[in-house]
Amino acid sequence: MAAFEVRGGKALRGEITPQGAKNEALQILCAVLLTSEPVTISNIPDIRDVNKLVELLRDLGVKVGKLATDTYIFQAENVNLDYMDSPEFIAQAGALRGSVMILGPMLGRYGRCQLPKPGGDKIGRRPMDTHFLGLEKLGGKLTLEGLDFYRIKADGKLKGTHMLLDEASVTGTANILMAAVLAEGTTTIYNAACEPYLQQLCRMLVRMGANIQGIGSNLLTIEGVESLGGTEHRMLPDMIEIGSFIGLAAMTGSEITIKDCQIPQLGLIPDTFRKLGIQIEFRGDDIHIPAQPHYEIATYLDGSILTVSDHTWPGFTPDLLSIVLVVACQAKGTVLIHQKMFESRLFFVDKLIDMGAQIILCDPHRATVIGLDQAKQLHGITMTSPDIRAGVALLIAALSAEGTSTILNVEQIDRGYQFIDQRLNALGADIRRI
């Protein structure tokens, strides 16, 4: 098990470019299964979860060629359906949450798919009901083997239909969308997710020949087509990395410029950090965070305590609540963090309390942070990264703290952040992988 040894208390300085978006990559890569023609994808992040998905596609029979560091060409001309019966596939797919995204394209193009219960972060319940209910409405028939193996099959071609999703699941919407583009007739998906990553998938499918209306809204209308062709696609920068770097700059009193951010796609992220008192400057498509010794949390107009909570897009993304929480530890003022979507994502605050933070964990979903206003620094401890986003929040805390911290299980961080230690060391951090 790898670990980071972090010597904190150093102000960072310089420019950093965010990686390609992990959450987009898991959808976009699986969409190559919808066509026999070549698909070229660029700005692919070099992280464990994405690399494992590329390996899974290759083992399914997809031809994979690497054109550049972040650019690949895929061709799903001869997919080996029998590989899904192999122990190797079960082990691969079961260890990777992103494997769930093969369901829609495989059902849409080949009429069947099977999958073990996917792995991923232990952040609470992540049911797949939305995926399967939507695919069943298109004509898929689901069979469960025990509680951890799914088979879905269509008798003949999928048929378009109207559906109202029980939740605006991003991955659920993407799976249903990728099946519907090859179904007969019209499919309408109401309460569809509309995150920028989902919009990117829609636009890529349209370039491949799909007919999708309502992109960017919560009502998608899909006219099925016979087949899809190849295309080229470039992924967005990762908005979670961008938010993490904003928080890192504030917490460590650093001056950092984040390059090529696609600012119009960031939604509420910049304004949410501004509510914590963080100065943010837009310079073209770059975000500049000046060094500031103090930042003060805003209150509501009546003077009551600010609440930051997550919501489906265009609300604030749940993946950044861990970052907001840790950054608030050194702000002036108090904030209530309300994690609505996952009940285990706040179960890292005990480490921050051990470092000296003033946090009251109210229940699995809510924590109140009383900022220290830099009057007292956090101090280094040994801790374990429980999941990707909490791991980076702990890394930010360690970089701001006095003394040395050791973060165990950094493989979790590697799943979502590309060479994060090397990239931050280039800004002046002192992180050693041990």
Side-chain angles (χ1 to χ4, degrees):
M1 181 184 295
F4 284 157
E5 186 178 84
V6 184
R7 291 176 175 82
K10 298 177 182 294
L12 313 184
R13 186 181 181 90
E15 298 180 347
I16 191 166
T17 301
Q19 67 188 26
K22 174 199 170 184
N23 291 340
E24 179 183 345
L26 300 180
Q27 302 171 36
I28 294 296
L29 291 174
C30 291
V32 307
L33 291 166
L34 287 165
T35 178
S36 62
E37 296 185 13
V39 177
T40 301
I41 304 174
S42 60
N43 204 26
I44 297 177
D46 186 2
I47 54 177
R48 290 184 64 190
D49 278 10
V50 170
N51 294 337
K52 284 182 176 293
L53 184 56
V54 171
E55 181 181 337
L56 177 63
L57 292 172
R58 183 185 286 114
D59 289 344
L60 275 168
V62 178
K63 296 178 183 176
V64 181
K66 190 170 185 177
L67 304 180
T69 304
D70 67 348
T71 304
Y72 288 76
I73 185 167
F74 301 87
Q75 189 166 10
E77 191 174 15
N78 297 299
V79 174
N80 180 10
L81 301 181
D82 293 335
Y83 182 68
M84 291 188 293
D85 293 311
S86 69
E88 292 80 8
F89 172 79
I90 293 171
Q92 278 180 304
L96 178 65
R97 182 72 189 177
S99 64
V100 69
M101 298 310 307
I102 72 171
L103 283 169
M106 291 293 285
L107 183 66
R109 184 175 171 197
Y110 296 104
R112 71 179 181 93
C113 188
Q114 57 203 48
L115 199 67
K117 184 178 180 179
D121 283 340
K122 306 303 181 186
I123 56 174
R125 293 172 293 172
R126 304 169 84 179
M128 292 176 56
D129 295 52
T130 301
H131 299 251
F132 288 117
L133 289 171
L135 295 175
E136 284 185 308
K137 287 182 178 180
L138 292 171
K141 295 182 179 179
L142 176 65
T143 303
L144 294 178
E145 296 182 7
L147 296 175
D148 57 4
F149 199 86
Y150 311 99
R151 295 182 188 272
I152 191 163
K153 187 176 182 180
D155 294 331
K157 200 166 179 63
L158 298 178
K159 306 289 185 182
T161 187
H162 173 76
M163 63 184 79
L164 172 59
L165 302 188
D166 59 340
E167 62 169 330
S169 164
V170 177
T171 54
T173 301
N175 251 331
I176 296 164
L177 172 68
M178 287 191 282
V181 291
L182 293 178
E184 286 184 350
T186 304
T187 300
T188 52
I189 308 173
Y190 197 29
N191 195 29
C194 54
E195 272 78 354
Y197 306 142
L198 202 284
Q199 296 178 42
Q200 285 278 96
L201 174 64
C202 287
R203 296 187 181 103
M204 173 182 170
L205 294 173
V206 168
R207 291 196 302 273
M208 294 169 71
N211 187 342
I212 305 170
Q213 304 297 321
I215 298 172
S217 76
N218 68 345
L219 176 59
L220 295 175
T221 302
I222 304 105
E223 295 287 344
V225 296
E226 284 293 324
S227 63
L228 297 178
T231 191
E232 295 182 359
H233 180 81
R234 181 170 179 81
M235 295 196 299
L236 290 174
D238 195 307
M239 67 170 71
I240 313 305
E241 267 214 345
I242 293 169
S244 300
F245 295 149
I246 293 172
L248 168 68
M251 186 80 167
T252 59
S254 301
E255 182 177 354
I256 294 176
T257 299
I258 310 166
K259 303 291 291 182
D260 305 327
C261 292
Q262 292 284 317
I263 292 170
Q265 303 293 334
L266 296 179
L268 291 175
I269 291 172
D271 284 343
T272 300
F273 282 104
R274 285 185 173 121
K275 288 179 181 178
L276 298 181
I278 299 171
Q279 297 174 30
I280 297 175
E281 302 172 8
F282 294 159
R283 297 179 175 179
D285 203 30
D286 301 340
I287 294 178
H288 179 73
I289 313 298
Q292 55 183 116
H294 300 275
Y295 48 99
E296 184 173 353
I297 299 169
T299 60
Y300 291 112
L301 292 176
D302 62 359
S304 56
I305 293 173
L306 177 71
T307 296
V308 177
S309 61
D310 59 333
H311 204 279
T312 52
W313 190 267
F316 188 67
T317 172
D319 283 345
L320 280 173
L321 273 188
S322 301
I323 308 300
V324 168
L325 189 151
V326 75
V327 172
C329 292
Q330 283 295 3
K332 180 181 179 180
T334 300
V335 63
L336 175 66
I337 305 296
H338 191 176
Q339 168 61 267
K340 299 176 182 178
M341 297 175 69
F342 301 104
E343 67 269 19
S344 301
R345 261 207 163 141
L346 298 182
F347 288 176
F348 72 101
V349 301
D350 58 323
K351 283 88 170 175
L352 296 176
I353 293 171
D354 288 345
M355 297 178 79
Q358 295 185 349
I359 306 172
I360 302 168
L361 185 59
C362 308
D363 55 46
H365 291 276
R366 295 177 302 156
T368 301
V369 184
I370 301 96
L372 298 170
D373 191 24
Q374 306 291 353
K376 183 178 73 171
Q377 295 303 108
L378 302 182
H379 55 266
I381 63 169
T382 297
M383 47 196 159
T384 300
S385 169
D387 63 71
I388 299 172
R389 307 308 176 187
V392 169
L394 294 175
L395 178 58
I396 292 172
L399 287 166
S400 75
E402 291 180 336
T404 300
S405 297
T406 301
I407 304 175
L408 307 175
N409 195 29
V410 296
E411 289 87 355
Q412 286 281 7
I413 299 174
D414 292 337
R415 291 176 47 222
Y417 291 79
Q418 174 177 294
F419 311 122
I420 190 67
D421 50 336
Q422 299 174 31
R423 295 160 70 203
L424 295 183
N425 283 342
L427 298 178
D430 189 347
I431 306 170
R432 189 164 67 96
R433 186 180 291 263
I434 56 176

